[in-house]
Each structure stands twice: as C-alpha cells, then as structure tokens.
Amino acid sequence: MLEIFSLKGKTALFTGGSRGLGKAMAVGLAKAGAEVTVVGRKRDQDVVDRIAACGVRGEFYEHDLADLDGIPALVARVKADFGKIDILVNNAGVQSRHKAAEFPRQDWNFVIDVNMNAVFFLCQEVGKLMLAQGKGKIINIASLLSFQGGFTVPAYAASKGAVAQFSKSLANEWASQGINVNCIAPGYMDTEMNTALIADAGRSRQILERIPAGRWGKPEDMVGAAVYLASAASDYVNGTIITIDGGWMGR
Ligand code: NAP
C-alpha cells in the first residue's frame, strides 16, 4: 500500500528549502526516496546533509528567484546534473508588511517577482521538460491569502491569489499530458516569515483563538501533503488546493 507514496527514483527541484516549511518538506521528499535539488539565495549545507542522510543525492543551487531571466539557465543546470526533473515544488516566498496607502513600489515588485512571477516561469520552464517526459508533479505553495485579503499584506495576497489561479490554468492545460499541478495552502505556521505577527501579542492571540486545532502549524505538518502530491497516490488530483490550517478556513 505504501508503495504508491514512494518517491524512489524521482528527482525534485525544490525552491526555498533552507529553513521553515521548505526545509521540512524538502527533507520529507528525500525520506520518501526522492533526490532533492534545493534552490535558495545562499547555500545551506544543513539541508544538503539532511537529504544525503536519507541515502539519496541532494544539491544546493544558489539563485535569487527575483532574477527571472536566470530561470532557464537554472533549470538547464539541474537537468544537466540530474538528468531529469520529475517534481517541482515552488515553496520560496517573501513577505512585506505596509499599510496599503504607503506600500513602497519596490517592495510590491519584489514580492510579486519572487512569489508570483518566478513561480509561473519555473512552472513554464520545468513544465516544458515534463511535457516532453509525459509525466510530472508540480506543487505550488499558496496561502490562506489565496482566499482572503489579510491586513497590510496586499502584495502577498495578490501574489498568492495569482498562484492559486494560474495553477488551475496550468492543470487544465497539462492534466491530460501526465502533469499534475496542485497547491498547498498553509495556514498560520510558526516560521521566520511570521516573526512580526507572532511578536504582535494582540494579533497573535486573535489568530490563535480562530484556529480550531488550538495551535499554530509546524513545518512538519506540511510533509504528508507534499509527499502525497509528489507521488503516484495523487495521479488523479489536478488543480486543487489542499489547506493545512488546523481548521481555519472552515471557521
Ligand atoms: P521562510 O521561513 O521565510 O522561508 C522562506 C524560504 O524562501 C527560505 O528558504 C528562503 O531562503 C527562500 N527565499 C526567499 N526569498 C528568496 C529568493 N528571492 N530567492 C530564492 N529563495 C528565496 O518562509 P516559510 O514560512 O517557510 O514559507 C514557505 C512558503 O510557505 C512561502 O511561499 C510562504 O509564502 C508560504 N506560506 C507560509 C505561511 C506561514 O505561516 N509561515 C503561511 C502561508 C503560506 P533564503 O532567504 O536563504 O534565500
């Protein structure tokens, strides 16, 4: 039974695996048997070591995803080094909090480039390889702000709304060609991205009170869904968004 969740023999390109949700998911894919190539701005040897400790090959590729022009060369390098890419996880993301009336254009553009444009153009570039292979799994990390507007995070909400929507567009085009495109929408997770939110005692209490599970999420909470969407177990799952939020969205 567990065979359908196995990622043995698969190669993943994983963005933002140096900490937080990404590190847990990248190591989780390796534990399920995949070779994992991690993309981030600065090499994190710890994730490479943890992948290798699972008995599979891992590598780190330094690339700032705001550099959209560099994406084709990045994908070509991974393909040259590993021979193929079976799984793409677009996890890297940034946050910028400002009141809408004062939101700096530079921050707006940076959030949109990393969270939205880089995700689309990585899907496009890796998607070409997957179309040629006739098989592939794409997992884009969305957010509760793919559904809701949030406070003081309009660029983030815009970027995550877009990721959820174009993931459906890609799923519609590619489902019949063996490529599954889906999203995972994490709820409120205890990671570096939320340091400011957690430090704001009032907002932090309000958020916790609304989570039926009664706690913030942990990086490990993401692993099961990532392995599922990367594996044969999800072969008939297309264009969906799995929320991992302790029940927030149902409230
Ligand atoms: P995090 O702890 O801040 O980690 C973000 C990761 O993205 C890091 O590995 C970071 O690596 C990488 N990254 C950021 N900017 C990058 C860039 N320009 N180029 C390449 N890599 C970059 O965030 P997290 O909380 O784990 O979030 C992971 C994903 O889940 C994000 O897409 C986020 O939007 C989403 N999410 C998080 C929450 C939450 O509550 N935490 C909720 C909903 C959705 P470097 O900085 O070393 O490059």
Side-chain angles (χ1 to χ4, degrees), residues 113-155:
D113 273 347
V114 175
N115 292 9
M116 185 185 95
N117 291 333
V119 175
F120 179 77
F121 289 109
L122 265 168
C123 287
Q124 184 183 64
E125 210 53 34
V126 176
K128 288 180 205 166
L129 300 180
M130 291 176 169
L131 286 168
Q133 288 166 188
K135 210 163 175 49
K137 300 274 182 178
I138 297 179
I139 304 167
N140 292 329
I141 304 304
S143 168
L144 294 181
L145 297 194
S146 298
F147 311 99
Q148 302 175 322
F151 282 96
T152 66
V153 288

Side-chain angles (χ1 to χ4, degrees), residues 39-51:
V39 176
R41 282 175 292 195
K42 194 162 172 292
R43 185 178 178 87
D44 175 48
Q45 189 57 39
D46 178 59
V47 74
V48 177
D49 292 345
R50 285 169 65 176
I51 290 164

Side-chain angles (χ1 to χ4, degrees), residues 16-22 39-42 63-66 91-94 110 114 141-143 156 160 186-189 191-194:
S18 63
R19 60 172 184 268
L21 308 182
V39 176
R41 282 175 292 195
K42 194 162 172 292
H63 180 82
D64 185 335
L65 289 164
N91 163 79
V94 290
F110 183 63
V114 175
I141 304 304
S143 168
Y156 186 87
K160 293 296 184 177
Y188 286 88
M189 316 299 277
T191 67
E192 211 168 300
M193 180 171 278
N194 284 329

Side-chain angles (χ1 to χ4, degrees), residues 40-180:
R41 282 175 292 195
K42 194 162 172 292
R43 185 178 178 87
D44 175 48
Q45 189 57 39
D46 178 59
V47 74
V48 177
D49 292 345
R50 285 169 65 176
I51 290 164
C54 299
V56 292
R57 212 174 139 209
E59 192 48 89
F60 199 99
Y61 293 83
E62 282 190 355
H63 180 82
D64 185 335
L65 289 164
D67 170 13
L68 302 174
D69 292 337
I71 286 176
L74 169 71
V75 172
R77 254 182 87 200
V78 176
K79 164 85 163 58
D81 293 349
F82 282 76
K84 64 191 172 93
I85 301 171
D86 305 292
I87 301 159
L88 167 66
V89 184
N90 280 302
N91 163 79
V94 290
Q95 181 58 287
S96 178
R97 295 177 184 277
H98 301 279
K99 288 185 175 152
E102 290 140 26
F103 210 94
R105 187 186 295 191
Q106 201 182 348
D107 287 34
W108 178 274
N109 288 338
F110 183 63
V111 171
I112 295 292
D113 273 347
V114 175
N115 292 9
M116 185 185 95
N117 291 333
V119 175
F120 179 77
F121 289 109
L122 265 168
C123 287
Q124 184 183 64
E125 210 53 34
V126 176
K128 288 180 205 166
L129 300 180
M130 291 176 169
L131 286 168
Q133 288 166 188
K135 210 163 175 49
K137 300 274 182 178
I138 297 179
I139 304 167
N140 292 329
I141 304 304
S143 168
L144 294 181
L145 297 194
S146 298
F147 311 99
Q148 302 175 322
F151 282 96
T152 66
V153 288
Y156 186 87
S159 69
K160 293 296 184 177
V163 164
Q165 285 304 98
F166 71 64
S167 295
K168 292 176 211 165
S169 308
L170 296 176
N172 292 341
E173 274 195 53
W174 294 347
S176 64
Q177 298 180 71
I179 303 174
N180 299 78

